[in-house]
Amino acid sequence: MTTKFAVRLLCCVVVCSFFSLVSAQQTPPATSPEQTQPPVAASGQSAPETTLPPEKGKTKPDTSGQSTTSGTSKDRLFYTLPNFLTLENGGKVPPLTTKQKFAVVARGTFDPVEYPWWGVLSAISQAENSEPAFGQGWAAYGERYGTTAGDSMVENFLVGAVFPSVLHQDPRFFQSGKGGFGNRSWYAISRIFVTRSDSGHSQFNFSEILGSATGAAISTYSYHPRSTYISTPTNPHKFIGSDRTLVNAGDVWATQISLDTITIVVKEFWPDIHRKLSHQSHATAPGLPSPTAGDSRP
């Protein structure tokens, strides 16, 4: 568990550092009057059509990745990881029904990309020999894969569907997009403890805190290994203590809260990096003029 957490934490820190650099470049350069003024037509000639740049502050937000029919998203973090419960420019949107909450969580949990991701985490767990009662070998890897998948499924449904339905809370993350890197990061972190109710009011995020705690308890005391004896080259009857302890459950709970916090911070800045990458791809596409083409100024 410790190594898996460290690996994911390191990846997220690198990504967030990159986001901070990108978000600092989001302010567009000022446009001079002569750049926006259409050319004057010569006598007897019609003036060429000129497309003016959109007025500052009037740019239509990019919501192409959002599903307007269900109030959820079709977006993916880094074009791969499901990001269906994040809305950009959410504003006042209708609450999700219980059926919609379960449907969107199921869509993200059983997304095809999740299966190899669980495989990677299980391989890391096997390499560090976490939960040594499983032992080593392909059978042990299969057990670790099952517990990793189970942990993910249980927490996703409890935090995103079960508790939000019972407590009438909104499981979606509404991206801020306002302020600097520090303000936006703090906003994202605070969403672990503050969420919207189905009626649109801010309230304590019981779904996240209680849902992740319940998930940690279920996973720890149901399918994680009990105490056992295993055979090693140096000790044919080595005793391995049980992982079904209160301390281990608390460690799992803290790890899940930490990972959810990091994930929300990444979700806050993903639209910025997405637009940045899309803009660079468009600017370098074949047949498109360079942004500085025809500019004779030094």
Side-chain angles (χ1 to χ4, degrees):
M1 182 64 69
T2 302
T3 301
K4 288 192 289 185
F5 175 72
V7 169
R8 286 186 276 188
L9 176 61
L10 178 60
C11 293
C12 291
V13 168
V14 172
V15 170
C16 290
S17 300
F18 184 46
F19 286 162
S20 66
L21 297 177
V22 172
S23 59
Q25 301 174 2
Q26 292 301 311
T27 304
T31 305
S32 59
E34 59 262 20
Q35 286 179 295
T36 58
Q37 185 175 0
V40 179
S43 176
Q45 298 179 355
S46 60
E49 295 183 1
T50 303
T51 303
L52 299 179
E55 184 181 349
K56 186 176 181 181
K58 300 297 183 180
T59 303
K60 185 178 179 179
D62 179 14
T63 58
S64 58
Q66 296 183 14
S67 172
T68 56
T69 57
S70 64
T72 58
S73 172
K74 298 178 181 179
D75 185 48
R76 290 177 179 271
L77 294 175
F78 310 109
Y79 310 106
T80 305
L81 301 174
N83 190 29
F84 305 146
L85 282 172
T86 298
L87 290 184
E88 184 183 4
N89 307 302
K92 294 183 178 180
V93 295
L96 297 177
T97 64
T98 297
K99 180 180 179 180
Q100 288 174 326
K101 291 174 183 177
F102 276 88
V104 68
V105 170
R107 186 159 58 99
T109 300
F110 300 108
D111 188 85
V113 77
E114 293 293 333
Y115 298 97
W117 174 241
W118 295 336
V120 170
L121 297 180
S122 302
I124 295 173
S125 177
Q126 179 109 336
E128 71 166 350
N129 198 31
S130 65
E131 298 179 315
F134 284 142
Q136 291 292 319
W138 285 109
Y141 177 79
E143 291 182 296
R144 287 187 172 92
Y145 187 95
T147 58
T148 300
D151 288 350
S152 179
M153 294 177 190
V154 169
E155 201 226 355
N156 286 351
F157 274 96
L158 288 175
V159 173
V162 176
F163 275 88
S165 298
V166 173
L167 301 176
H168 303 288
Q169 292 189 324
D170 198 322
R172 293 171 291 189
F173 170 66
F174 297 89
Q175 189 235 6
S176 169
K178 300 177 182 178
F181 179 76
N183 289 336
R184 294 175 63 183
S185 298
W186 175 249
Y187 166 80
I189 293 172
S190 69
R191 296 309 94 183
I192 289 291
F193 305 100
V194 181
T195 190
R196 286 189 188 184
S197 65
D198 284 342
S199 59
H201 301 292
S202 296
Q203 57 183 224
F204 184 77
N205 196 351
F206 288 104
S207 297
E208 171 67 37
I209 304 302
L210 297 182
S212 58
T214 305
I218 291 175
S219 67
T220 300
Y221 290 101
S222 59
Y223 50 81
H224 281 263
R226 301 175 182 271
S227 59
T228 186
Y229 289 91
I230 63 173
S231 177
T232 67
T234 58
N235 188 350
H237 300 286
K238 183 178 180 180
F239 177 76
I240 301 297
S242 174
D243 285 309
R244 301 185 182 188
T245 64
L246 183 61
V247 172
N248 189 48
D251 179 65
V252 172
W253 182 29
T255 300
Q256 290 176 341
I257 291 291
S258 300
L259 290 174
D260 289 347
T261 302
I262 296 170
T263 302
I264 289 180
V265 174
V266 174
K267 289 179 178 181
E268 170 64 25
F269 290 99
W270 168 240
D272 298 300
I273 193 65
H274 184 208
R275 282 190 289 268
K276 186 70 174 179
L277 293 176
S278 300
H279 175 72
Q280 290 176 346
S281 175
H282 177 77
T284 57
L288 293 178
S290 170
T292 58
D295 189 353
S296 60
R297 290 176 295 177

